[in-house]
């Protein structure tokens, strides 16, 4: 039977979209077919479902998501009674449930619904759906004692109506009360109570939402600027010196359109990062001169400037009534919401209580979820040498909002701050370092000179070398100031990993550095190696790659069944290339007799059970290989690209293996999500203190080649 989770509340204003999004994230980590059902819906687009559909790539027909609208439900209940209303909704729910492994049910919103005793209706629907319930209590503006009372009463209300209550969530509580409420709630109820603090960024409207609500004209600004959260409002009327002292980070400046001095002053302050603002809203339908607007564009490109026709007072009334909403158009808010949920909800405990049926498949989304979850479990610091690159900054924002790891960004500090401000990105407490001016430069020069003295490197020469961001970042890792490094979005592979070869060097149990790609197919994850580093490994190196790849696979939850690939399977062929693979297979087996290794074997026999049954019957690997080791770089690089492009696979990597400490390379075409995944992988690699490959589990648990 399909497992369903029903997220509901007791009143409006509980901000439960954060919980609904968090539960959806949790469910998609466990199964790949998650449906959504909202029994009752208001007219107009459903922002949350559109967000879920976009974020989780849902294929569900939107027509099946909704039971009926509130007006229809109210009329049906009035004419034929509650039993008939429930009967119709149950039928429509089961149409969805039959098509999915698990269903997330979004309860009614208690907002002008004209339905009597809405709580009882939610409880009855949950019972009829066979769904477990997560009630959410809103705590905004309430005392700690009131929140505790509301939570206990809500549990009693749903449990008393026969509901299977999974957990309680007290949401939007005052930050200063959060820990005290959580401590007092612990053990008071027979289910866990999760306490989530209020987050101003979630209720803050974006500049785009303000423009839409006020009918404003966008005079300047790009999509990134319009996506900024307006965390507050500063109304400009004072002279410039006093006005500048009133600016706060993320504020929207509201000023009459004829105050060119305040417009230029606010944008100049933003450009300097003191502080970065969300944008400017001009009233009275006045627009500064062409010269002023041209200067504004140069001062803070991308920063939005809006114009409205109203005066400041009615504009202020409208602004203070606006509240930000989670939607497909606000992906940053989604990252903030998920980060908030994951920091304050024990997702491992909740996932265990949900007990969604596992499909036995690993989808790309499930793999990506697992990466972030695993990285977050033991937080590490990763250094990003390309601190002024836009994609890196966007990735840094995602990583910080989700609480994946701590970050150090390298580059001219003021340039990083200005670029982040222009993009509307809050780097939080990230460490920003300019290698050229850092006090660490002299120390690193001394260290590098000592390491490379045999190559004739002097301290003077080293002083110039370590100013390079990749050398500086690598030395931070070597000296324990960072746990790992990710670079390569604008640097060549050689520029990224050469410092690692010179400074960090290989682990004592291996002779080479190699790489793997995680190939995320529709229903499984395969590990390909080596597709990025070693052009023509000999048998010794090939065996090393196989053992390293097994350890990497196991560390990331892929049970290693290793296929040593060749153009021949078993003993059917001969020749130097086949002999190399055969020798490598024997070497790998001798080094790790606990591993399942087959070779030489052709690709089709390695991954297709029907072919394996003919070519290698009885093999533990054939037909079900998870780690595929290619005989050379030419074969590996072309194969991973062919599978990536032709099969629509997501290629995560290259992930370097064999170094004493983790350093990973990016493709220069890397997308933001690619960077996020690679940083998460690097953080996970840094969690393992052991120098050797990870142990093998007993059960299932980019576009460049380098030049050394």
């Amino acid at each position: 039977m399909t497992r369903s989770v029903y997220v509901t509340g007791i009143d409006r204003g509980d901000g439960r979209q954060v919980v609904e999004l968090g539960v959806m994230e949790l469910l998609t980590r466990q199964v790949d077919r998650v449906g959504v059902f909202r029994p009752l819906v208001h007219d107009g687009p459903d922002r949350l479902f559109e967000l879920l559909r976009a974020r989780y790539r849902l294929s569900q027909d939107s027509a099946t998501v909704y039971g009926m609208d509130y007006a229809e439900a109210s009329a049906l209940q009035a004419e034929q009674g509650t039993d008939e209303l429930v009967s119709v909704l149950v039928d429509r729910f089961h149409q969805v449930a039959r098509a999915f492994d698990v269903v997330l049910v979004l309860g009614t919103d208690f907002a002008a619904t004209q339905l009597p005793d809405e709580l009882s209706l939610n409880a009855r629907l949950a019972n009829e759906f066979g769904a477990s319930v997560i009630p959410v209590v809103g705590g905004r503006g309430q005392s700690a004692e009131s929140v505790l009372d509301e939570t206990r009463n809500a549990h009693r209300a749903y449990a008393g109506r026969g509901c299977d209550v999974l957990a309680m969530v007290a949401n939007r509580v005052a930050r200063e009360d959060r820990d005290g409420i959580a401590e007092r709630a612990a053990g008071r109820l027979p289910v866990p109570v999760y306490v989530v603090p209020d987050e101003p960024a979630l209720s803050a409207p974006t500049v785009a939402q303000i423009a839409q609500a006020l009918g404003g004209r966008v005079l300047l600004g790009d999509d990134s600027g319009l996506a900024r959260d307006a965390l507050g409002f500063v109304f400009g009327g004072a002279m410039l010196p006093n006005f500048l002292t009133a600016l706060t980070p993320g504020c929207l400046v509201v000023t009459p359109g004829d105050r060119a001095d305040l417009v230029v002053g606010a944008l100049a302050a933003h450009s300097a990062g003191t502080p970065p603002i969300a944008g400017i809203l001009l009233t009275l339908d006045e627009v500064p001169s062409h010269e002023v607007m041209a200067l504004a564009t140069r001062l803070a490109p991308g920063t939005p400037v809006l114009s409205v026709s109203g005066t400041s007072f009615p504009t202020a009334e409208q602004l203070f009534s606006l509240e930000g909403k989670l939607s497909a158009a606000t992906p940053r808010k989604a990252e903030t919401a998920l980060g908030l949920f994951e920091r304050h909800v024990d997702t491992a405990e909740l996932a265990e209580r949900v007990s969604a049926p596992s499909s036995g498949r690993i989808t790309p989304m499930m793999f990506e979820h697992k990466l972030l979850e695993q990285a977050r479990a033991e937080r590490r610091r990763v250094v990003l040498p390309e601190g002024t690159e836009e994609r890196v900054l966007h990735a840094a924002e995602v990583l910080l909002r989700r609480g994946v790891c701590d970050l150090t960004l390298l580059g001219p500090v003021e340039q990083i701050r200005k670029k982040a401000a222009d993009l509307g990105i809050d780097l939080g407490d990230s460490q920003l370092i300019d290698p050229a001016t850092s006090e660490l430069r002299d120390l690193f020069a001394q260290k590098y000179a000592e390491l490379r003295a045999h190559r004739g490197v002097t301290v003077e020469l080293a002083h110039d070398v370590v100013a390079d961001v990749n050398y500086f970042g690598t030395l931070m890792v070597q000296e324990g100031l960072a746990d790992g490094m990710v670079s390569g979005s604008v640097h060549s592979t050689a520029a990224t990993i050469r410092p690692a070869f010179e400074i960090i060097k290989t682990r004592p149990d291996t002779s080479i550095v190699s790489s793997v790609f995680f190939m995320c197919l529709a229903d499984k994850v395969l590990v390909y190696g080596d597709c990025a580093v070693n052009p023509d490994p000999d048998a010794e190196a090939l065996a090393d790659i196989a053992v390293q790849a097994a350890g990497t696979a196991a560390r990331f939850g892929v049970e290693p069944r290793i296929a040593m690939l060749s153009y021949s399977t078993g003993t059917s062929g001969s020749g130097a290339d086949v002999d190399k693979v055969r020798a490598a297979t024997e070497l790998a087996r001798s080094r790790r007799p606990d591993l399942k290794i087959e070779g030489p074997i052709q690709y089709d026999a390695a991954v297709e059970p029907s072919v394996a049954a003919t070519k290698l019957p009885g093999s533990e690997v054939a037909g079900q290989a998870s780690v595929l080791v290619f005989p050379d770089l030419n074969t590996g690089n072309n194969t991973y690209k062919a599978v990536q492009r032709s099969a629509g696979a997501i290629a995560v990597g290259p992930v370097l293996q064999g170094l004493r400490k983790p350093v990973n390379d990016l493709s220069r075409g890397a997308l933001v999500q690619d960077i996020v995944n690679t940083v998460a992988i690097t953080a996970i690699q840094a969690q393992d203190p052991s120098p050797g490959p990870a142990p093998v589990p007993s059960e299932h648990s980019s576009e460049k080649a380098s030049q050394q």
Side-chain angles (χ1 to χ4, degrees):
M1 182 175 179
T2 300
R3 176 70 160 169
S4 303
V5 179
Y6 197 120
V7 181
T8 183
I10 60 171
D11 202 352
R12 64 183 306 178
D14 52 30
R16 91 181 73 133
Q17 293 84 2
V18 172
V19 180
E20 291 166 336
L21 182 62
V23 172
M24 185 67 170
E25 181 87 3
L26 183 150
L27 293 175
T28 55
R29 292 176 189 171
Q30 301 179 75
V31 297
D32 62 312
R33 297 191 307 139
V34 181
V36 178
F37 185 69
R38 189 187 287 282
L40 300 175
V41 64
H42 291 284
D43 290 336
D46 187 329
R47 288 187 300 268
L48 184 67
F49 175 67
E50 292 304 318
L51 169 61
L52 297 178
R53 179 161 63 176
R55 184 176 185 88
Y56 299 104
R57 302 186 283 275
L58 303 182
S59 59
Q60 183 178 356
D61 183 352
S62 59
T64 69
V65 173
Y66 312 112
M68 65 180 71
D69 65 39
Y70 282 101
E72 181 185 0
S74 180
L76 180 61
Q77 187 177 38
E79 293 172 9
Q80 300 185 46
T82 301
D83 287 350
E84 182 61 23
L85 171 62
V86 171
S87 177
V88 172
L89 292 176
V90 169
D91 286 344
R92 294 179 183 177
F93 165 77
H94 283 299
Q95 291 175 20
V96 176
R98 283 192 290 269
F100 296 95
D101 299 320
V102 65
V103 179
L104 171 63
V105 185
L106 312 175
T108 66
D109 59 12
F110 295 85
T113 61
Q114 298 179 335
L115 293 172
D117 199 0
E118 206 164 333
L119 189 151
S120 291
L121 177 62
N122 280 290
R124 182 170 176 186
L125 288 175
N127 289 334
E128 297 290 352
F129 294 169
S132 297
V133 178
I134 301 177
V136 182
V137 173
R140 178 176 285 178
Q142 295 195 53
S143 67
E145 196 63 42
S146 178
V147 171
L148 287 164
D149 289 343
E150 288 274 16
T151 303
R152 287 194 291 265
N153 288 336
H155 177 267
R156 185 178 297 111
Y158 280 100
R161 288 167 172 80
C163 293
D164 173 28
V165 179
L166 283 178
M168 299 295 301
V169 179
N171 191 35
R172 286 182 160 181
V173 305
R175 283 192 168 272
E176 61 271 19
D177 293 337
R178 188 265 160 199
D179 291 346
I181 293 173
E183 183 177 344
R184 292 176 63 188
R188 294 282 187 92
L189 293 175
V191 298
V193 178
Y194 304 120
V195 184
V196 181
D198 201 11
E199 173 52 64
L202 287 177
S203 54
T206 66
V207 179
Q209 289 171 336
I210 290 172
Q212 182 179 20
L214 273 61
R217 289 186 294 145
V218 179
L219 305 178
L220 294 176
D222 56 20
D223 290 342
S224 180
L226 290 168
R228 297 177 191 173
D229 297 321
L231 300 178
F233 305 107
V234 173
F235 293 85
M239 298 300 290
L240 183 60
N242 293 329
F243 167 75
L244 291 177
T245 62
L247 296 178
T248 56
C251 70
L252 180 73
V253 172
V254 184
T255 183
D258 58 0
R259 290 296 304 270
D261 58 330
L262 301 187
V263 172
V264 172
L267 292 175
H270 172 86
S271 179
T274 54
I277 63 174
I280 297 176
L281 178 62
L282 305 176
T283 60
L284 300 174
D285 212 18
E286 292 277 349
V287 178
S289 68
H290 173 74
E291 290 77 15
V292 171
M293 295 303 288
L295 177 59
T297 303
R298 291 194 296 272
L299 277 173
T303 297
V305 177
L306 313 179
S307 174
V308 295
S309 57
T311 60
S312 295
F313 184 75
T315 299
E317 285 187 312
Q318 289 179 280
L319 289 173
F320 286 121
S321 68
L322 291 177
E323 185 169 345
K325 301 292 184 183
L326 287 171
S327 71
T330 59
R332 287 177 175 172
K333 286 189 184 296
E335 298 295 350
T336 300
L338 286 171
L340 191 69
F341 182 85
E342 290 161 344
R343 281 194 296 276
H344 299 288
V345 172
D346 187 337
T347 54
E349 177 185 52
L350 185 56
E352 186 176 348
R353 293 182 67 82
V354 170
S355 300
S358 175
S359 63
R361 303 169 62 193
I362 302 177
T363 67
M365 186 179 298
M366 292 165 69
F367 182 72
E368 290 177 353
H369 289 336
K370 183 176 177 61
L371 289 181
L372 300 189
E373 185 179 22
Q374 199 171 342
R376 192 184 299 111
E378 295 181 37
R379 194 157 168 158
R380 294 290 187 266
R381 177 172 293 278
V382 178
V383 58
L384 305 176
E386 298 159 326
T388 58
E389 166 58 30
E390 183 172 326
R391 290 166 295 160
V392 170
L393 288 169
H394 280 301
E397 181 180 40
V398 173
L399 292 160
L400 292 170
R401 290 191 179 214
R402 297 294 298 276
V404 175
C405 61
D406 297 316
L407 296 175
T408 297
L409 286 82
L410 302 184
V413 172
E414 291 309 314
Q415 285 187 32
I416 296 174
R417 285 180 176 153
K418 184 178 187 307
K419 187 73 171 181
D422 289 342
L423 296 171
I425 290 172
D426 180 9
L427 294 175
D429 57 359
S430 295
Q431 185 181 37
L432 309 181
I433 298 178
D434 184 353
T437 59
S438 171
E439 60 186 17
L440 293 170
R441 185 175 177 181
D442 290 340
L443 172 65
F444 284 177
Q446 185 67 42
K447 295 284 185 181
Y448 183 71
E450 292 172 3
L451 287 168
R452 304 296 288 173
H454 65 289
R455 293 285 188 175
V457 175
T458 63
V459 173
E460 291 75 17
L461 178 60
H463 195 263
D464 292 333
V465 172
V466 301
D468 176 90
V469 289
N470 285 312
Y471 275 92
F472 192 94
T474 304
L475 281 157
M476 286 190 70
V477 176
Q478 175 66 14
E479 294 301 308
L481 301 175
D483 301 300
M485 184 182 94
V486 174
S487 187
S489 66
V490 293
H491 289 92
S492 68
T493 295
T496 299
I497 67 175
R498 184 185 293 118
F501 290 147
E502 295 179 1
I503 297 167
I504 294 177
K505 305 182 187 302
T506 58
R507 291 196 308 247
D509 63 322
T510 188
S511 60
I512 62 168
V513 172
S514 62
S515 73
V516 296
F517 279 89
F518 290 99
M519 302 299 295
C520 302
L521 303 173
D523 59 351
K524 59 186 172 183
V525 175
L526 300 178
V527 179
Y528 283 10
D530 175 4
C531 304
V533 177
N534 296 283
D536 189 17
D538 58 19
E540 180 84 15
L542 210 54
D544 228 354
I545 292 168
V547 171
Q548 290 177 9
T552 301
R555 186 171 293 121
F556 291 93
V558 178
E559 182 184 356
R561 296 182 296 274
I562 306 162
M564 307 293 286
L565 298 176
S566 176
Y567 60 78
S568 172
T569 295
T571 59
S572 64
S574 61
D577 291 337
V578 178
D579 292 342
K580 179 180 79 168
V581 175
R582 184 174 290 114
T585 302
E586 294 307 316
L587 282 170
R589 283 173 175 161
S590 66
R591 293 177 188 175
R592 290 291 300 275
D594 58 310
L595 291 174
K596 298 174 182 178
I597 306 176
E598 191 69 72
I601 186 171
Q602 293 161 289
Y603 191 100
D604 59 348
V607 300
E608 176 52 51
S610 61
V611 177
T614 300
K615 293 189 174 183
L616 275 177
S619 170
E620 289 186 297
V621 173
Q624 52 183 339
S626 59
V627 177
L628 297 109
V629 179
F630 295 92
D632 53 57
L633 184 61
N634 183 47
T635 307
N637 192 267
N638 279 293
T639 302
Y640 108 74
K641 289 179 179 176
V643 173
Q644 180 186 36
R645 302 300 178 187
S646 301
I650 296 175
V652 179
V655 178
L656 298 184
Q657 47 191 22
L659 290 167
R660 291 175 183 265
K661 297 184 178 184
V663 171
N664 281 309
D665 179 38
L666 297 165
S667 163
R668 275 174 277 186
L671 303 176
V672 171
Q673 190 59 45
D674 298 331
I675 300 172
V676 170
N677 290 339
T678 303
V679 172
I681 284 172
T682 305
I684 294 166
Q685 288 178 309
Q687 292 171 358
D688 185 3
S690 64
V696 179
S698 58
E699 55 186 48
H700 285 284
S701 14
S702 282
E703 299 187 0
K704 301 179 291 185
S706 72
Q707 300 173 3
Q708 296 185 42

